[in-house]
Amino acid sequence: MSVFNISEEGISTFFLIGIPGAEHVHLWVSIPICFMYLVAILGNGTILFFIKTENSLHEPMYYFLSMLAFSDLGLSISSLPTMLRVFLFNATGISTDACFAQEFFIHGFSAMESVVLLVMAIDRYIAICNPLRYTSILTSDRVFKTGFAFATLCILLVLPFPFILKRLKFCKKSILSHSYCLHQDVMKLACSDNRINIIYGFFVALLSLLNLMFISVSYVLILKIVLGITSHKGRLKVLNTCISHICAVFIFYVPIITLAALHRFAKNASPVIRVLIADLFLLVPPLMNPIVYSVKSQQIRNVILAKLCEKQH
């Protein structure tokens, strides 16, 4: 009877993990993690502040960059509480409702970043393909409407996740594979039928891969235009406008593809490697994107340097 009651009531707490087998160094690992979160939040916050306050940055490319910074900021804030609790305080427990809420925000901001990277690729294509009509095609009004439409689409896309997880029963297994909650990780613990979760999760993952495919197509078209430029200096100048975005695409998609490949083709790979790559997926893009754009974008770099010089004087 007791077993039956446990099965019916289910579990109310999941347990997250840090680095398997290295629990004794979690406190030391928390130091670089805290530093990375601090830099990511300050960096993306700075990007958002300057784009909002500086008239020289009120251009379509920087509006899209502000959307990328917003999604990176959301990604950092969504994963920050559990990551720090696990590594700093060794507090691994999380209620099911809190877990479902966290995975909604993580998947939501991840989907938003994927879509923003696609829109930024289209932006670069229009700027290179039709530079004279660039500002008339991508007006501020169209940029804001596009951003709002895609943000709404991302929310609607991941909104079913917590609800289709809520309908599942969790009886025995309660240990997750990461230091934060993901839909595909949580659904594997269910002791009831999770076919709907598998199908819908695959659908969302497929859309993300389609975004990557469309980004690749955009750059094939851009490369075709670049190869048509006779001047070597002109080619480099055009390509230089895409470097920051290409870096952002690699930073975002490489950990995802690597982790998917490990789960698919290297099932016997060390759990430590999987955990580290999964953590890099959430830590590296919000950390690196502001740095890459600050270094490669001359306008942003000039604004930041001007503000620093003002404070020194």
Side-chain angles (χ1 to χ4, degrees):
M1 181 64 70
S2 59
V3 174
F4 177 78
N5 288 338
I6 291 171
S7 178
E8 282 298 309
E9 292 175 6
I11 60 173
S12 59
T13 304
F14 293 121
F15 293 95
L16 305 166
I17 63 168
I19 302 175
E23 289 79 5
H24 57 287
V25 296
H26 275 183
L27 186 60
W28 294 105
V29 174
S30 69
I31 296 172
I33 289 176
C34 288
F35 177 74
M36 291 172 78
Y37 271 119
L38 181 64
V39 173
I41 291 170
L42 286 176
N44 287 291
T46 301
I47 293 287
L48 287 169
F49 173 76
F50 281 133
I51 291 174
K52 179 177 173 58
T53 57
E54 291 295 325
N55 290 329
S56 62
L57 299 179
H58 290 179
E59 298 176 10
M61 182 176 74
Y62 298 108
Y63 289 141
F64 290 130
L65 176 57
S66 68
M67 296 176 197
L68 183 68
F70 177 76
S71 60
D72 278 335
L73 199 59
L75 207 55
S76 292
I77 294 172
S78 300
S79 59
L80 175 65
T82 55
M83 288 276 280
L84 290 188
R85 283 180 72 242
V86 170
F87 286 100
L88 196 57
F89 304 109
N90 200 31
T92 59
I94 181 171
S95 69
T96 53
D97 288 338
C99 187
F100 298 159
Q102 185 186 47
E103 62 87 24
F104 166 75
F105 286 109
I106 288 176
H107 285 293
F109 285 113
S110 297
M112 196 179 297
E113 180 147 351
S114 176
V115 169
V116 170
L117 288 172
L118 170 60
V119 175
M120 291 176 82
I122 297 171
D123 166 75
R124 289 299 82 208
Y125 172 72
I126 295 172
I128 293 168
C129 176
N130 207 339
L132 297 178
R133 294 189 58 207
Y134 175 69
T135 52
S136 62
I137 294 172
L138 289 175
T139 61
S140 296
D141 186 53
R142 284 178 182 170
V143 169
F144 290 131
K145 285 180 179 178
T146 300
F148 180 77
F150 279 120
T152 304
L153 182 65
C154 290
I155 291 170
L156 293 175
L157 184 66
V158 301
L159 188 60
F161 275 158
F163 296 102
I164 59 178
L165 284 176
K166 191 79 174 173
R167 54 177 280 279
L168 298 176
K169 287 186 178 180
F170 302 93
C171 309
K172 298 177 181 179
K173 297 179 181 179
S174 59
I175 300 176
L176 296 168
S177 305
H178 308 294
S179 49
Y180 51 86
C181 295
L182 292 178
H183 174 261
Q184 61 268 32
D185 196 20
V186 176
M187 72 175 186
K188 290 178 182 177
L189 302 181
C191 56
S192 57
D193 187 5
N194 63 359
R195 279 178 294 183
I196 293 175
N197 301 72
I198 293 172
I199 294 168
Y200 192 73
F202 178 77
F203 170 71
V204 173
L206 185 62
L207 288 180
S208 182
L209 288 176
L210 283 175
N211 286 343
L212 179 59
M213 186 184 74
F214 289 137
I215 291 170
S216 302
V217 170
S218 297
Y219 274 103
V220 168
L221 296 173
I222 288 172
L223 189 60
K224 185 179 178 181
I225 295 169
V226 170
L227 291 175
I229 300 173
T230 54
S231 167
H232 179 68
K233 189 177 179 180
R235 289 180 186 177
L236 291 177
K237 186 178 179 181
V238 171
L239 285 174
N240 193 50
T241 64
C242 302
I243 293 296
S244 301
H245 180 255
I246 292 170
C247 290
V249 171
F250 274 97
I251 288 167
F252 181 73
Y253 277 103
V254 167
I256 296 176
I257 294 171
T258 304
L259 191 62
L262 283 174
H263 279 288
R264 179 68 181 85
F265 302 109
K267 294 181 179 179
N268 296 325
S270 170
V272 176
I273 295 175
R274 294 183 184 180
V275 168
L276 289 176
I277 293 173
D279 288 346
L280 287 175
F281 159 63
L282 289 187
L283 289 170
V284 173
L287 172 71
M288 291 303 299
N289 284 338
I291 297 172
V292 169
Y293 275 95
S294 297
V295 170
K296 293 301 298 179
S297 174
Q298 187 175 354
Q299 278 185 274
I300 292 178
R301 190 168 65 248
N302 290 343
V303 167
I304 293 173
L305 290 174
K307 290 293 182 182
L308 290 174
C309 290
E310 282 180 15
K311 287 183 179 180
Q312 287 178 357
H313 292 295

